[in-house]
Amino acid sequence: MEKKKIRTLGLANLNWLYRNEELKAAKEQQIIQQLFADEYWLAAKTIGVVKALPFEFDTLPVIGKAWSEGKQVTVPKVENGWMGFHQITPESLFVRSSFGVEEPAEKQETALAEIDLLIVPGVVFTVEGFRVGFGGGYYDRVLENFKGNSCSLVFSEQIQECWEAEAFDQQINKLFIK
């Protein structure tokens, strides 16, 4: 199946789950418990994570837990066709991007080499860790040069094996699935 069709299917599944709030919340809780117990999380001093859209995996508890454990948190910001990660604090201000995602208003870019754990969003995943995102290729370009650990927080509804990864698709190291 082509990526455009698989993305449409994935978005439909995410929206179905979003409308089933209790199920979504229960799955999120089980997935973040897996994440917080994992060596990737425990060893990380700096994490990269997106501020999610409402129908995506809610990353606010992840951000809050990171701060409570003294970890630095960076979130993506797209400028001039490139995505960089910027450190945020509880006091940070955000602006809504053209993609609808909240990005930090101020620039405090963190070098990729300083990020220990990158939590990568996606619409559809294979169990091997390949993903279909929203179609911009931003994460694939970042992952090409990223040397730290990568993971994704994945609902079972996002797992689809009916598509082939392309040469430029970057594999995620670990998926936490429920």
Side-chain angles (χ1 to χ4, degrees):
M1 190 180 293
E2 65 183 53
K3 280 190 176 178
K4 187 175 180 180
K5 286 182 181 173
I6 199 73
R7 183 177 295 112
T8 300
L9 173 63
L11 288 169
N13 287 345
L14 282 171
N15 279 304
W16 175 85
L17 196 56
Y18 176 59
R19 289 189 305 274
N20 290 272
E21 293 176 36
E22 287 181 20
L23 177 60
K24 181 178 184 282
K27 284 177 170 256
E28 286 171 337
Q29 189 59 39
Q30 291 172 321
I31 291 168
I32 61 172
Q33 285 175 356
Q34 292 174 41
L35 171 68
F36 295 156
D38 190 81
E39 62 191 282
Y40 280 10
W41 177 265
L42 297 172
K45 292 181 177 33
T46 302
I47 65 163
V49 61
V50 70
K51 283 193 76 180
L53 295 169
F55 65 87
E56 294 180 292
F57 190 100
D58 182 7
T59 56
L60 290 180
V62 174
I63 293 169
K65 176 82 165 173
W67 284 331
S68 75
E69 293 182 0
K71 298 180 189 299
Q72 290 188 359
V73 177
T74 66
V75 296
K77 180 179 181 97
V78 174
E79 293 180 297
N80 303 319
W82 178 254
M83 185 171 72
F85 285 81
H86 297 261
Q87 186 175 343
I88 61 167
T89 67
E91 294 78 34
S92 293
L93 300 175
F94 294 87
V95 294
R96 197 161 301 282
S97 75
S98 59
F99 303 107
V101 177
E102 287 188 0
E103 296 181 335
E106 62 274 355
K107 293 182 184 180
Q108 196 169 358
E109 191 154 3
T110 301
L112 271 185
E114 294 177 32
I115 300 173
D116 304 306
L117 176 61
L118 189 58
I119 301 173
V120 182
V123 176
V124 173
F125 295 84
T126 65
V127 292
E128 294 84 26
F130 289 101
R131 56 179 279 286
V132 173
F134 288 93
Y138 294 104
Y139 273 94
D140 286 320
R141 290 193 294 278
V142 165
L143 287 166
E144 235 177 347
N145 304 305
F146 183 66
K147 304 292 185 240
N149 293 317
S150 63
C151 72
S152 292
L153 311 175
V154 182
F155 300 117
S156 58
E157 290 81 0
Q158 293 176 274
I159 300 293
Q160 298 290 334
E161 300 293 337
C162 58
W163 62 282
E164 293 288 323
E166 297 176 85
F168 55 82
D169 288 330
Q170 300 295 310
Q171 194 170 15
I172 305 302
N173 298 132
K174 193 178 284 190
L175 302 182
F176 296 100
I177 306 170
K178 187 63 188 173

